[in-house]
Each structure stands twice: as C-alpha cells, then as structure tokens.
Amino acid sequence: MNRKLSDVIAHIPGARVTGDTEGKMVNDLTIDSRTVQPGSLFICIKGVHTDGHQYIGKAAQLGAAAVLIEEDADVPKGVAAIRVDDTTAAMTALAPWFYDYPAQKMRMIGVTGTNGKTTTTNILRELLTNTGHKVGLIGTINIMIGDEKEVSHNTTPNVVDLQKTLYRMAEAHCDYCVMEVSSHALALNRVAGIEYDTAALTNITEDHLDFHKTMENYREAKALLFTHLHEGKKPRKTAVFNMDDPSSPLIMNRVKTKIITYGKAATNDIHPISFEIGAKSMKLDLTTPAGEMKLALHITGEFNVYNVMTAVGCALAEGLSRDDIVRGLDDFGGVPGRFQLIDAGQPFTVIVDYAHTPDGLDNVLKTAREITKGKLWCVFGCGGDRDRKKRPIMGKIALDLADVIVVTSDNPRSEDPDAIIKDIEEGLKDAPGDKEIHTISDRRSAIEFAISHAAPDDVIMIAGKGHENYQILKDRTIHFDDGEVVRDYFRKGKANA
C-alpha cells in the first residue's frame, strides 16, 4: 500500500505538520517502532507501560517517513512530524482509509461472547472453506489467510494491525473473514471501519471486570457489535442470539436487522431435539429453519452444543445449505486446547482446556464429570493482573464439581503466585471430607503430581491455558505447554505412582 504523505495528512483532522513532506510516500502504518520500515508512518501511542514518543529516534533510524505525535518531541531532521491532540483517535480514523476499507470487500462474520468464540469461528471457517470460499480467520489462537497460519497476539488486534490483516486477506482474494470480536476491541473501537454482515453472541459471563468494572459495562461493550450492525451499505445482515443467556433479550431489543435465535427451548429457530455426549464425540439432532440436522460430531460437551448452534445460525444467515452444514460439521475435528484429549498411552484420561473463567470452568468440569468413571481431577490456577473477583468463584466451582483439586499457577504476571492461590483458596473453604485439595505453585509439578497419582478410569482436567505454549512470569515469559508436560512425563518413562 502506497499513499502520498500529503493525502495521509489530509485524512487526519486537525493535523499540524512540521518538516518536509514534499513528494514523500507512506507505505505502512505501525505503532511498534520495532516494525518500522523505510516509508512507514510511526504512530506514537501513550500506553500503560510505555510511550511511543520515546521511540521516535529508533523509528527515524529505521527509515520512518513521518511520525504522528500528540506532545512535543524531538523529531530528527528529514522526518515529518504530524501533531494532533489524540494519536489514538487519529489512528482510528486513518487506518481503515489507509488500507482502502478492506472489510467492505469481504463478507464479515463477527462472533462475540465470553466463551465459545474460538470453537465457533473455527467451525464457521471449516463450513465456508468446504463450500468453496476462501476464508480469513482472526482469533485467540491464530490468524489464518486461507491455509496460511500465523500466531495471534490478541483476540482482536489493534486497529492498525487489524486493518492491515484485513487488507492482506482482501489482496489474497478471501471472500469471507470470520473473526472473534473481544469486548476490549468493541469498547476501544479497534473495529472501526468494519461493517459486519453477520454477528453472533455466544454468552456473557463474568470476565474482564478489571477493565470494564461492572457486568453492565461489559454487556454494553458486547452490545455495540449488534446495535451498530444495521449501519452501512451491505445487504443481508443478521444477528444470531443465544436465548439461554440472559443478556440476549436485553441486547436484541435494540437490534434493527434480521435475528436468528438458538437455545434449548422449542420456540427458538435452532434448538436441540436430542444430544448424546461421549468421551471423544457427540451425537446431536437439531431443529433448524433449513430442516432437521442429524450430526455425528468429533467434539463433545454440552457447551459445544451451543457452539455448534451458534455456527449453524451464522451459516444459515450466510445462505449455506443444510447438506453443506451437516457435511462440514461432521468433518470438523476440533480446536487445539479446547477440550483436547492428551493420549500418551496412560490408563486414565487427560484433557487440556482453555477454560479460564468461572463459566468456562463450570462447563468443562460438568462435561468431564459425565465421562468420568473414577475420580475427576481439576488442575487449575488464575491469571495475575486480571479480574481478582473470579478467583474464589472458580475455587468453589472446582470444589463442587471435582473430586481432587490441584490449585496451581496460570500466568501470574506481576503478582505473587502464592497470593493468587490464597485468593482461590477462599472458595475452597469448608470442603467436605471426601474432597482432596492440594496447592502446588509450580504448574509443571502440579500437572506431574496429578498424572503420577491418578488411577485408571480417572479424568484429569488441566484448565486455564489450553492452546497457550507460554507462561508469563513477573520478570520473563517462558515456554510452557500443558499437553507437552503430560507427554514429556510419560516419554521420560516416569511411572504412575
């Protein structure tokens, strides 16, 4: 992408410019000085931990054509300085235009909710790809452009990276983008310039209150995806709602597009007739506006019944046929780190799941309980620098649903891991005598303790990190993969106690 610097400046309201702009071109936008290349516009954002204005010199050394600033700064000679009152607001206004509004060139499906976004978007990618579409995916685990895959750093990237990614998808001739839309992205307007065609709500349960402060604020952030859905020029817009979630009626009353509902009640457009959950698969019979769907799925759990219904609602909104949906769902093999079975030849079941919220932990433990013949173990922790209120709640859920609880570390970040564990232990008070509770701060030791003491027919749920292959400590980030720890244990010939 190449733009005249003079045109870029013209699209920044209130810009005051110093330095030479004559004949200069801008070929990229970035807020990260490490990614500046010759011709970039480096946007200085003042964040919680750092201030982009400190890196102007580095950006200039790497060849930045101009810098966008909101305070006085020493800008090296030869680099144009564009001064505005608010660089974040200017960036939000500029990025969609700079990348030529790529979201207008694709059908956009946005999925929001506390839990279920990743599985739902991956199902939709499978359904659309199997019907001949080239699909882009933006989510918690990765970004995909067709079959090309790269690691994702945020569920929803900042507005510059998001528009840049959509531009690459459009250039690669993707005709669909399926993306997870986080509450942060909606509240901070990272999705500026995107006109969605279909939007779906999975559920809203307690999470991210460190940022939103109240559940009402959290819900209102999610609601933005739906209350603005009718705006713009695209045809055939649809909102898909989970009617078993109490937030859905509160939001859908404000929606001005077609609505598809799903849930357990027969009054919903999509509802289950029956489902049968197994350890590794599930049979599900659905009523839908396109007719009955008898599904043999390679994913399991009641929470996945909801994920499947969300995906079916979106697929029907986008015009996929009943047969295409059934065929695609039968082929779907699941998502790494989402109720993922780890089989190293052991005589008991080990499951890794990303569940890191009260509702997520409740869902996976209830499903695990249904397939447990022996004892149900729960190895989990809570992340540092995040919502502290959920820690004792998750402790109580583990106490209620598991037989053996091993409390450990998740991503402690700047907090003391033992202090986080103490918060969780508030929910483990007054444990019945038949419950077994252990606290092992080191996550590897906690996992190894569980797999060395489990008996045949036991099920070990290792919750919280799922697909993540790292652990964020106070002073560094280390490689850490729950499934890898399990496989390493048995590969090294360690025995079950």
Side-chain angles (χ1 to χ4, degrees):
M1 178 59 68
N2 277 293
R3 299 279 194 185
K4 291 180 181 177
L5 179 55
S6 56
D7 288 342
V8 170
I9 293 168
H11 280 82
I12 303 176
R16 288 94 70 190
V17 182
T18 56
D20 182 22
T21 63
E22 184 66 28
K24 284 190 173 181
M25 302 294 290
V26 175
N27 56 23
D28 187 39
L29 307 180
T30 182
I31 65 171
D32 185 344
S33 63
R34 294 167 297 185
T35 65
V36 168
Q37 57 190 3
S40 292
L41 170 62
F42 175 55
I43 302 169
C44 300
I45 301 295
K46 299 179 78 169
V48 175
H49 302 294
T50 188
D51 181 349
H53 295 82
Q54 298 173 4
Y55 302 98
I56 289 174
K58 181 179 178 181
Q61 288 177 357
L62 292 173
V67 294
L68 184 64
I69 57 177
E70 65 179 36
E71 63 182 31
D72 292 337
D74 291 329
V75 179
K77 189 177 180 181
V79 178
I82 307 167
R83 176 76 180 263
V84 293
D85 294 335
D86 184 338
T87 52
T88 299
M91 171 181 72
T92 301
L94 179 64
W97 167 81
F98 186 86
Y99 291 104
D100 200 23
Y101 300 100
Q104 295 289 343
K105 302 170 184 175
M106 298 175 276
R107 295 286 292 176
M108 297 291 304
I109 302 177
V111 179
T112 195
T114 308
N115 299 305
K117 298 187 295 296
T118 300
T119 298
T120 301
T121 52
N122 276 270
I123 292 173
L124 281 166
R125 178 187 174 275
E126 179 100 4
L127 297 180
L128 291 164
T129 300
N130 285 355
T131 49
H133 296 284
K134 186 164 186 179
V135 183
L137 181 144
I138 299 172
T140 304
I141 298 178
N142 52 40
I143 291 171
M144 297 189 72
I145 302 177
D147 293 329
E148 295 179 15
K149 185 185 298 185
E150 55 194 70
V151 175
S152 175
H153 299 291
N154 284 306
T155 300
T156 313
N158 67 66
V159 65
V160 167
D161 289 343
L162 179 53
Q163 291 294 325
K164 199 181 303 186
T165 298
L166 292 171
Y167 171 75
R168 291 165 54 209
M169 290 178 179
E171 287 293 290
H173 305 293
C174 290
D175 56 343
Y176 266 98
C177 173
V178 183
M179 64 179 288
E180 298 181 41
V181 187
S182 71
S183 58
H184 289 73
L186 290 161
L188 298 173
N189 202 20
R190 291 178 191 163
V191 294
I194 297 177
E195 186 181 344
Y196 290 97
D197 298 279
T198 293
L201 177 68
T202 57
N203 49 69
I204 298 179
T205 61
E206 183 164 327
D207 199 17
H208 303 306
L209 296 190
D210 53 318
F211 177 79
H212 296 289
K213 306 305 179 189
T214 68
M215 282 299 291
E216 288 74 20
N217 292 342
Y218 183 36
R219 183 190 304 117
E220 286 307 304
K222 296 285 191 190
L224 291 171
L225 180 62
F226 303 93
T227 54
H228 292 282
L229 183 60
H230 66 283
E231 298 171 358
K233 299 178 180 178
K234 289 182 170 180
R236 293 191 296 116
K237 295 188 176 182
T238 307
V240 180
F241 284 102
N242 171 10
M243 296 310 292
D244 291 341
D245 188 279
S247 291
S248 288
L250 300 175
I251 297 173
M252 63 188 287
N253 288 337
R254 291 177 271 166
V255 173
K256 298 178 181 177
T257 66
K258 176 185 174 184
I259 290 174
I260 293 177
T261 63
Y262 68 91
K264 286 184 177 177
T267 51
N268 292 303
D269 299 314
I270 301 167
H271 63 269
I273 299 170
S274 64
F275 60 90
E276 182 180 328
I277 294 172
K280 299 180 181 180
S281 61
M282 175 171 61
K283 292 181 179 178
L284 173 61
D285 192 358
L286 283 182
T287 290
T288 81
E292 186 174 334
M293 297 184 184
K294 289 183 178 295
L295 305 168
L297 300 158
H298 300 292
I299 54 177
T300 190
E302 186 172 339
F303 57 95
N304 271 324
V305 172
Y306 283 90
N307 293 334
V308 167
M309 289 195 291
T310 315
V312 169
C314 293
L316 291 173
E318 290 301 318
L320 270 64
S321 72
R322 174 192 169 281
D323 290 347
D324 284 338
I325 294 171
V326 171
R327 188 162 42 247
L329 284 167
D330 286 350
D331 290 343
F332 182 67
V335 181
R338 301 298 189 275
F339 213 80
Q340 181 181 5
L341 297 167
I342 307 296
D343 188 356
Q346 75 276 9
F348 48 85
T349 301
V350 178
I351 302 166
V352 169
D353 194 275
Y354 188 51
H356 62 285
T357 64
D359 184 58
L361 189 63
D362 185 82
N363 284 335
V364 296
L365 286 176
K366 283 179 176 173
T367 296
R369 172 58 72 189
E370 291 187 42
I371 61 173
T372 302
K373 296 178 181 176
K375 289 185 177 180
L376 175 57
W377 294 63
C378 179
V379 181
F380 82 106
C382 290
D385 301 337
R386 297 291 186 271
D387 182 9
R388 295 183 62 173
K389 294 178 183 175
K390 69 182 182 183
R391 295 172 186 172
I393 298 172
M394 291 177 69
K396 183 67 167 60
I397 289 169
L399 181 66
D400 289 344
L401 297 176
D403 302 300
V404 187
I405 301 105
V406 184
V407 185
T408 186
S409 298
D410 195 316
N411 291 314
R413 298 185 178 85
S414 68
E415 289 194 58
D416 177 359
D418 291 330
I420 296 173
I421 288 174
K422 283 187 177 179
D423 287 342
I424 295 171
E425 286 177 332
E426 287 295 312
L428 298 170
K429 289 180 177 177
D430 304 321
D434 60 339
K435 301 283 183 175
E436 196 177 320
I437 299 170
H438 305 271
T439 57
I440 303 172
S441 179
D442 180 76
R443 192 172 179 92
R444 177 179 293 275
S445 299
I447 293 171
E448 291 188 345
F449 174 82
I451 57 181
S452 65
H453 288 79
D457 293 333
D458 284 359
V459 172
I460 301 174
M461 171 61 66
I462 305 173
K465 296 184 66 64
H467 64 280
E468 292 180 353
N469 61 0
Y470 56 84
Q471 191 168 25
I472 305 172
L473 307 177
K474 187 173 185 177
D475 56 347
R476 65 193 189 284
T477 297
I478 62 171
H479 176 79
F480 196 95
D481 183 306
D482 287 347
E484 195 174 284
V485 171
V486 176
R487 295 188 189 94
D488 280 352
Y489 181 89
F490 291 107
R491 187 162 51 237
K492 291 174 182 175
K494 294 183 180 179
N496 187 246

